[in-house]
Every structure is written in C-alpha cells, then in structure tokens.
Amino acid sequence: HRPQELCVSVNGYIQGAQRVASEVSELDLSANLAEDVNFVEVFSEQGIRLLLLNAEEPPPSGADTQKSRAELSDGRTLELTLQFRSSWPNLHLVYSDPTFKAVEALDAAALEHLDPTDGAIPTRSFFASSLATKSNNFAGLLFRLRNDVFGSGFFLRPGVVTALLGLIAIAVVISLHVRRPPLSKVSPATLFAQSIAAENALGARADQVVHRTISLEESAIVTGSSPQLLSRRKIDLWQNGAQAVDALRVYDQQNQLVNGQWSRAGSSRVLLHHGAKVQPAADRQISESSIRFEDIWQVVPSAQLFANLLEHDDKASATETSTEYTINYQRGVDGDGLQRATLVLNRPELRAVRQTLRIKQGNEVREYSFSESSFEVRPVGAVAPSVFEPDPELLSSAKPETGNAKIETETSPLPVTPISPSASADLEVEVVSQLNQVNAFLGEQIKVERTPEGRLSVKGIVETDERKGELLQALSSFRSNPAVKIEIATVAEVLKRQRQSSSASAATSEVASGKGESPVESELRPYFSKRGIPAEQLNQEIQRFSSRALSHSFQARRHALALKQIAERFSLEDLRSLDPQAKAKWQAMLAQHARALQQETAALRRELESAFPPLGTAKTGGADISSDEALVRASQQLFAVAVDNDEKIRRSFAVYAGASGVVPVKTAQFWQSLGNAERIAQAIQNRQP
C-alpha cells in the first residue's frame, strides 16, 4: 500500500495532511487540543493506519521528545516525532519512499500506451503494485478485466439493480431483528442476581479502585401539592478491591463533609457522624420496615443493598428499554418505613445508576432521589491511601464513647492520619477565573485538575519567564491555600531538570514546504486584478488576505478551546452546588469567549464574502439552552464547529505542491457552518444566570 496523502490524527482528531509528491515528504504541525496528547496516528488517504505513537507523560514527568518509526516494504520508512518544547506539542512527520521516481516513470510509460477510448482511469497505486510484484502483464490483464466487468453501465443493468435491492432489503430486515429488544418478560430476581454478581466481580478486582459520585436530593411529600426540595447532598464512594476497604463520604450543599463511613475486611465498620459521637457501625440490618430518614445516605444505589432492603421482593416488577432496566417495588403497608422504591440498572453493565426511595416516619413522608453523576475505575497505584482513612475534620468535632482518643472497633482500629484539604467547587471557579483573566486557556500547556486527595492542581509549561511571572501573579492569592497546588515552569527549566539541551528546535510551520500555490490562489488572483492591484503586487496582496483569514479562524478556534475547557471543568452536581456568585462568574467566562469567537467568525465571514460569494445561509433562530447541561453541550458543539471551520480554512489557504480537489471555502456546507458558529455563540451569550 503506497499512500498518496498522509493524514495525522491526535486523540482521534485530524490535525493536518500532507500530499506525497517526492521521495521525502515532511509535515510539521502543532497539536492544539483541549486535552493531553494520548496517542497519535498516521493514516493514508484510504483510511489505512500506517503508524501509531502512544504518548507517554509530558514534561516534567516524562521526556520532552518521543518518537515512533515504521519500516514499510521496498525500503520505505515513516517516522513521527512528538515534542513538548513550546506552548503546544509539536509533531514532525517524515515519509521516505526511494521507489517514488521509478513509480512515476512507470506511470508515464503506462499512460503513453493506454487506449484513450476504453474509459479507464489508472491510479498510481495500481502502477506501484505492478512495480512491486514485477507482473505487469498479469496486472494489465486484471486491469482490462476490471474495466470490462465494472465499467460504465455495469450498475445500471436490470439484473444488477435487482440483486442490489434484494441485498439491501435483507440487510434492513437483519438489522431490525438484531437491534429489536427482547420481548420476553424480565424477571426482577434474575436482574438482582446478575447485577449483584457484576458488583461483586467489579469490587473483587485487586488491581483497581472504583470511584463513584452520587447526587442525593431529599424532598418532602405533602398531599395535594408538589414535592418540596429540602436539601441536596453529594456522596463520594471509593472501593479498593486489593485491600478490601471502602470509604464513603457525604457532603452538604456547601461542600462540607457531614458524614463518613469506612469499612475494612475482617473488622467492624466505623461510622462517623459530624458533630456527634464516634461509634462503631451497628450491626442492625436496614430493611423496609426499619429504615429511617437518618439512614438514607447509607443506602447508595446498589442491587445488593436494594435487595436487602426489600422484605417481600416477590412484589417487585421490572421493565426494560434499549438502554436500561427498571425495578419497581410497592410495599402496600401504611406503617412507618419504605412505601415505594425504584432502582434503575444500565445496560449492558447492569450497574445501579439511579434510585428513588419514598419513606414514611411518623407524620412525615420524604422522597430521596439518587443519581450517579460519575463512575471511574483507577489503578491502585493512582489513588492515595489516605482516601480510605477517616477525615480529621470529622474526628475534630467528635468524641469517642470510650473516652479514648482512638476509634474503638472489635478488631484492629483503622489508622487515622491527616490528609490534604479538599478544594470546593467555588474555590475552583475562582482559580479558573483568575487564569482566564490572563488568557491561560487559549492553547498553552496549562492544566487544572483534581488530585485523588481532592486538592486542586495547577500545572503549566510556558515559553518565557515573563509569562511564568504573569501566571504566578494571577494565582498569588491562592499560593498559601493548602487546597491548591501550583507548578508553573518554563521550557528551559523543564529541559534543565531533565539534563538535556535547553535549546528548543526551530519554529515549525503548519504549511508544508515546497513550491506551489494555495487552492484559492486561482480565485484570488483575478479578484485582486479586477480591483486594480498591479501584477507585481498580486502575490503580496494574496498573502496578506490569506494571513488575515487564517488569523481570524485561528483566534476563533482558540476561544472555542477555552470555552470548552471552562464548560467541562465542573460536573452537573458541582454546578448545582455553586453559590449564585460563583455560578454567575462561570457563565460570564463562557459568554466572554463566545463573544470573542463570534466576533472573529463574523470578521472572517466578511473577509471571505468579498472574494467568495456565500453559497448558503445558517438556520434561523437561536440554539435552545435551557439548562446547565444544555449550556455545556452547546459549548462542546461550538468547539467542534470552530475546529472544523479552522481546518477547512487551512486546507483552502495552505500552500503546498500539487494543490487540487474541492476547495472547502467554495462549498455551501462551509458557509452554513460559519453561520452556525455565530448562532451558537450568540445563544451562549444570551443564556441567563
């Protein structure tokens, strides 16, 4: 397989392409993505992957240069280099084909003897295959046979059309049959058994830690009126299969830790209540008749806990959809305790993801809604041991029943050691806001993330000492906060720590080298000539026009990147827990970047309309952004549109040898996409706090 074009993809996103037009083809580009570089792939124009580079940790943890090389047939090679020596990771691709001249000569010779009346259009890959196999006569026979059988009119023959329609009908029937959900009745007992088995298998893995975040809403049920929301809480659950330990923490709306429960194999569970006495967990089995309001946070969504809660599970019923199973239970007793319950299992994992419990206690009836907001599996080594230890803030306000300062259990006590303070969502908004004011989310290697201990980590690699000082100054009010960890370094400092040369490689260009013209030059040259530009100034005017278009597109992409990063920083549960001031600040940052993106896109559109009449218009009306979830989705959609527009601008204005094919800026889809970017950006700005 001899590629005619090489496409470079980072984390699944196409970043650039290079036509194969000589023995050595090179491509330099920058990977300006919202996330870290995890893997880089090189594809041919036919979608065949030729090379894969699995990226390691970037500096300062990993090396600043990483390479991958592929040895292909006939002495051809493909080499990819990933470097972390500037604000964005750089990629350098080199494809060497020593047989290129021989193949070109074979192409020319074959075209000379080709009968122009047979309608066949040979491809370079066909002749390259002939050269590799040394079987030109046999290849020519196959070539003529292909042209005779699949040439013009083959797919218009009645017999061929009938066969194709029959195959399509069969495929549709098979697809509908395979995708149709089973019609048999779902058994709750079977679902319980399978889900419990899946939970046990997941928790028994010794090489991983399971982390779940669950939102809990408590509402009062009053006859004749709608439910009244009383409180919202967040449950943070960690399970370590290697040491058979669990840790469960409950946070209130102010992100304060109010409850905790820890368990270890072979010892009694330790139950702590904030502001109350420290005591071992009672062995009392929580059931539908004995459950109380204060017990509710211990009954997290789980098939095992749900089954233990029910005293008459034969009254349960189950329904199913293509994505989940739902188990419903009605107790049918007027006394205190559980009245009704619902458990939702996802497919195909059969993991409990949502749960609703309605409980009566005296004259009060309350409903508790659980919803899993995040689920992740981490390697054991990536989670700090302190996660599974009781928090000092709970112990500080509690006194053991025994008068001893240690927690008493039936066997050995759980160790209590200080852990790092946790950063609240409101604090995270403040940190992100300060970084946003100095444009830290416009493509630099700045990372803001949560550590396993709950601290906020700000890491970055910048070009100069001046830029480092600017970032540190913006974060100066947080440097003494133990919940925030700041690590900003220059490229030179990183290289010095690695004992490597501090000299960075020469600046790279995203436009391939070589003589040629941009795909739009044939349109721009007569356009500027009609405007009276002298012939000797045409090239300079075309270059200025192209630079302005590329700049507007690139700036729009940068603001889309910042918009996406800020929008995705917080989970829906975190957004609900933010105080009004922090929430308004978060939305103001999104509106700021949406406004800048809209302005850059509008300027780009006006610039292009003067030379390329628009071929389509955007949909009228604004996007529907009625919730935080819709706002995050709109930000993600706008990022995807901006990236696509920028790539089309690059393909239209980039200068390389052998430019050909469809010019993106001359298509209706491109103009519609420009309008859509402005429409979504305006809708984000119009979103009210």
Side-chain angles (χ1 to χ4, degrees):
H1 177 67
R2 281 178 164 77
Q4 299 182 51
E5 185 177 64
L6 301 171
C7 300
V8 179
S9 170
V10 180
N11 296 353
Y13 297 97
I14 297 295
Q15 295 294 297
Q18 168 68 38
R19 293 185 184 277
V20 178
S22 62
E23 291 187 35
V24 178
S25 302
E26 297 188 49
L27 174 65
D28 292 288
L29 53 87
S30 296
N32 48 347
L33 293 179
E35 65 263 17
D36 291 339
V37 176
N38 296 319
F39 61 95
V40 184
E41 299 168 288
V42 180
F43 294 91
S44 73
E45 77 284 353
Q46 298 182 24
I48 297 176
R49 189 171 72 181
L50 304 174
L51 183 68
L52 170 66
L53 186 152
N54 285 310
E56 301 173 355
E57 285 289 326
S61 302
D64 71 310
T65 302
Q66 302 172 25
K67 294 185 178 182
S68 181
R69 178 183 174 89
E71 301 284 348
L72 307 176
S73 61
D74 299 324
R76 295 174 298 129
T77 60
L78 187 63
E79 185 171 295
L80 179 67
T81 303
L82 171 63
Q83 291 183 324
F84 298 91
R85 291 186 173 181
S86 62
S87 298
W88 289 335
N90 291 325
L91 293 165
H92 180 65
L93 178 69
V94 180
Y95 174 65
S96 176
D97 182 2
T99 67
F100 185 85
K101 290 184 178 179
V103 172
E104 292 295 308
L106 182 60
D107 285 353
L111 288 173
E112 290 179 2
H113 296 85
L114 185 66
D115 184 359
T117 65
D118 64 1
I121 301 177
T123 63
R124 181 176 180 273
S125 60
F126 171 80
F127 293 117
S129 300
S130 300
L131 176 67
T133 58
K134 308 297 184 180
S135 302
N136 291 334
N137 293 334
F138 181 66
L141 176 62
L142 292 179
F143 179 69
R144 290 191 297 272
L145 179 62
R146 182 197 67 179
N147 186 56
D148 292 340
V149 176
F150 297 99
S152 175
F154 173 76
F155 290 102
L156 298 180
R157 300 174 187 172
V160 174
V161 172
T162 302
L164 288 176
L165 290 176
L167 290 174
I168 293 173
I170 293 172
V172 170
V173 171
I174 293 176
S175 176
L176 292 176
H177 177 76
V178 170
R179 298 179 64 180
R180 184 176 59 195
L183 300 178
S184 57
K185 185 178 180 180
V186 185
S187 167
T190 301
L191 289 177
F192 277 135
Q194 294 179 351
S195 181
I196 292 173
E199 289 177 359
N200 293 337
L202 184 65
R205 289 283 300 272
D207 59 340
Q208 66 184 23
V209 172
V210 177
H211 179 212
R212 300 174 67 191
T213 303
I214 301 165
S215 62
L216 169 60
E217 291 188 351
E218 179 182 21
S219 302
I221 306 299
V222 181
T223 305
S225 63
S226 58
Q228 301 176 5
L229 182 64
L230 299 178
S231 68
R232 288 192 179 99
R233 283 171 278 178
K234 181 178 71 174
I235 300 175
D236 200 46
L237 177 61
W238 296 82
Q239 297 173 298
N240 186 333
Q243 301 178 7
V245 294
D246 298 339
L248 186 150
R249 295 174 175 85
V250 183
Y251 299 87
D252 61 13
Q253 288 180 260
Q254 287 71 43
N255 206 33
Q256 297 295 318
L257 182 61
V258 294
N259 295 98
Q261 179 175 307
W262 289 262
S263 64
R264 186 186 300 277
S267 66
S268 300
R269 292 185 301 169
V270 175
L271 178 64
L272 304 177
H273 293 282
H274 190 57
K277 292 183 178 181
V278 180
Q279 56 185 344
D283 294 331
R284 178 178 66 90
Q285 177 71 35
I286 300 176
S287 64
E288 63 180 50
S289 58
S290 64
I291 190 170
R292 301 187 297 263
F293 294 157
E294 57 266 27
D295 298 326
I296 197 66
W297 60 273
Q298 302 176 58
V299 191
V300 296
S302 161
Q304 182 68 71
L305 295 179
F306 194 86
N308 292 342
L309 189 65
L310 307 184
E311 296 176 358
H312 304 86
D313 55 6
D314 56 329
K315 296 181 180 179
S317 61
T319 58
E320 68 172 316
T321 66
S322 60
T323 59
E324 60 189 25
Y325 296 99
T326 302
I327 301 176
N328 296 293
Y329 180 77
Q330 189 84 21
R331 185 183 178 199
V333 177
D334 294 334
D336 287 357
L338 184 69
Q339 290 188 326
R340 66 179 64 168
T342 300
L343 182 69
V344 178
L345 309 174
N346 69 346
R347 300 176 70 168
E349 294 95 340
L350 291 178
R351 187 176 74 254
V353 293
R354 294 195 302 279
Q355 177 179 263
T356 303
L357 304 176
R358 179 170 292 191
I359 299 172
K360 182 176 182 296
Q361 188 170 318
N363 296 325
E364 292 187 73
V365 178
R366 297 183 187 179
E367 187 169 272
Y368 299 89
S369 299
F370 299 79
S371 178
E372 183 183 82
S373 55
S374 69
F375 175 87
E376 61 177 337
V377 177
R378 299 186 184 182
V380 173
V383 180
S386 57
V387 169
F388 296 95
E389 299 168 357
D391 297 62
E393 58 189 285
L394 282 178
L395 299 176
S396 62
S397 60
K399 296 181 180 180
E401 292 182 338
T402 61
N404 193 321
K406 297 181 179 180
I407 301 174
E408 300 293 338
T409 63
E410 295 179 2
T411 57
S412 59
L414 290 173
V416 179
T417 57
I419 63 174
S420 301
S422 176
S424 66
D426 292 343
L427 175 62
E428 188 171 352
V429 170
E430 292 297 327
V431 172
V432 171
S433 176
Q434 291 298 317
L435 288 172
N436 183 64
Q437 290 182 18
V438 291
N439 299 321
F441 299 109
L442 295 180
E444 289 181 296
Q445 294 188 63
I446 306 296
K447 183 190 300 183
V448 183
E449 59 185 1
R450 291 271 183 170
T451 68
E453 300 85 2
R455 299 175 67 188
L456 202 60
S457 172
V458 182
K459 293 183 179 180
I461 302 176
V462 295
E463 295 282 355
T464 63
D465 290 325
E466 290 76 14
R467 181 55 174 163
K468 175 183 175 181
E470 185 179 11
L471 290 170
L472 292 178
Q473 178 61 32
L475 299 172
S476 59
S477 60
F478 307 106
R479 298 184 71 175
S480 60
N481 192 324
V484 181
K485 182 179 180 182
I486 303 172
E487 296 180 69
I488 306 294
T490 64
V491 173
E493 289 172 339
V494 171
L495 295 178
K496 184 177 180 180
R497 285 199 296 264
Q498 295 182 341
R499 297 182 179 179
Q500 297 180 358
S501 173
S502 60
S503 59
S505 59
T508 59
S509 170
E510 296 184 14
V511 179
S513 59
K515 295 181 179 180
E517 63 180 27
S518 69
V520 297
E521 188 161 334
S522 60
E523 302 280 342
L524 295 178
R525 193 169 293 278
Y527 165 73
F528 285 114
S529 296
K530 292 179 182 179
R531 298 184 63 180
I533 303 298
E536 61 272 13
Q537 298 180 13
L538 281 178
N539 289 338
Q540 185 178 2
E541 192 65 29
I542 291 174
Q543 184 178 2
R544 280 199 294 263
F545 184 93
S546 301
S547 297
R548 289 195 301 269
L550 289 167
S551 176
H552 287 310
S553 176
F554 179 65
Q555 292 301 326
R557 178 171 180 158
R558 293 179 71 198
H559 286 287
L561 173 63
L563 182 72
K564 178 176 181 289
Q565 288 178 308
I566 296 172
E568 294 178 338
R569 279 231 54 83
F570 306 96
S571 66
L572 295 178
E573 177 63 25
D574 287 337
L575 293 176
R576 284 193 290 266
S577 67
L578 290 177
D579 62 42
Q581 184 178 1
K583 184 71 168 291
K585 185 173 293 186
W586 174 72
Q587 290 191 193
M589 287 188 285
L590 299 183
Q592 169 199 343
H593 289 289
R595 187 179 307 109
L597 184 148
Q598 184 183 31
Q599 293 170 351
E600 293 290 349
T601 304
L604 172 65
R605 175 174 48 78
R606 291 191 297 268
E607 189 84 31
L608 295 177
E609 283 176 344
S610 61
F612 306 96
L615 302 176
T617 57
K619 299 178 182 178
T620 58
D624 180 19
I625 304 179
S626 56
S627 64
D628 293 336
E629 184 177 6
L631 181 57
V632 174
R633 284 200 306 268
S635 302
Q636 295 168 334
Q637 181 185 3
L638 185 55
F639 173 74
V641 172
V643 169
D644 183 62
N645 289 343
D646 185 51
E647 291 178 352
K648 288 177 180 176
I649 287 292
R650 294 187 192 189
R651 291 203 301 271
S652 298
F653 287 90
V655 178
Y656 56 85
S660 63
V662 178
V663 181
V665 298
K666 296 170 62 177
T667 63
Q669 292 83 357
F670 170 76
W671 288 97
Q672 292 172 358
S673 184
L674 276 186
N676 285 337
E678 294 184 69
R679 178 177 61 90
I680 300 172
Q682 185 62 56
I684 293 176
Q685 296 174 65
N686 294 339
R687 163 71 173 165
Q688 297 298 322

